[in-house]
Amino acid sequence: MKNLHIEHPEDTILTGDLSVLDAFSNRMHNSYSVKIDGSPAIVWGTNPENGKFFVGTKSVFNKKTPKINYTVEDICNNHKNVELQSILIRCLNCLPRTEEVPFSVFQGDFIGFGGYRDYKPNAISYTFDRVMDGGVVVAPHTYYTGNTLKDMNAKPLTFVLLSGRGADFIQPDAWITDKGATIDIDLMIGFARQMATLVDFATPKEAAQLKQDLNAYIRDGDEVVAEEFANYQLVRLWLLVESIKTEFMELMRDNFKCDCFLGNDYIDGEGYVMHSKHGVYKLVDRETFSYYNFNIIRS
């Protein structure tokens, strides 16, 4: 799996790819992680091409001009933003070296510098159950394998990284239970498969435009009404898959020892990431978080 943007389940079906229904059906065999709202994305590890430890952003994977930082001087030359420079310099000094572990390149979301309980790296504010005493606080979620940074494959991080050299890693466990389901999810999945036989799916170009249109509804806080779209049958399927995701999230559990706030409102958290052999999908309350991202943060 390449380092690709993780999609909402309902968006993935627009072109006729129903793999997410298989992922929902095989839910007890998937792996899950808590989605933590950090920023920026940090990539670090040992470059397999030269054996040197580096830090950076996702720009380390650039095909033409990768920005790989081995030293403070590299960071200052590659990144002109002073705040990003300070983050990467602290990461360079504090993240544990990875020469001794089998998977030596990792990605995580930056939460902040150590010394506090309260953090607001992006939209969500976090209050942890203890003071973070490391130099940096990072929520790792991905590791990479391959012989070169340009051609590495991303895999979900299913093992625990040990904090060290002044870094606190946030890796809560997440799992799913079939107990407490109020609606038969498998029945909904079967209905979605039947509905799909009646749908004219979109081309990739049409799907991109449809996602923009759907996001416009979410951005404006409006209810998505299928009959207001030309391809209303496809949007009906989109709505059904979104409702399956919502019911699915009711079954999710985690041990994230942290209070989460969106603005002044207490929330359970942003959501989860579902890792399956059929694909990787983000499970979030789209109306709440996308609306907030569109309208609060960007304003």
Side-chain angles (χ1 to χ4, degrees), residues 272-284:
Y272 303 91
V273 177
M274 176 172 65
H275 312 268
S276 78
K277 65 181 181 180
H278 307 286
V280 181
Y281 310 90
K282 54 185 175 184
L283 311 175
V284 301

Side-chain angles (χ1 to χ4, degrees), residues 213-242:
D213 296 339
L214 290 164
N215 281 329
Y217 274 71
I218 296 169
R219 181 178 61 246
D220 295 337
D222 295 332
E223 179 185 0
V224 175
V225 179
E227 286 71 23
E228 295 179 2
F229 292 79
N231 193 344
Y232 66 90
Q233 289 182 319
L234 178 55
V235 178
R236 282 180 179 173
L237 179 60
W238 183 92
L239 287 168
L240 177 56
V241 175
E242 185 189 38

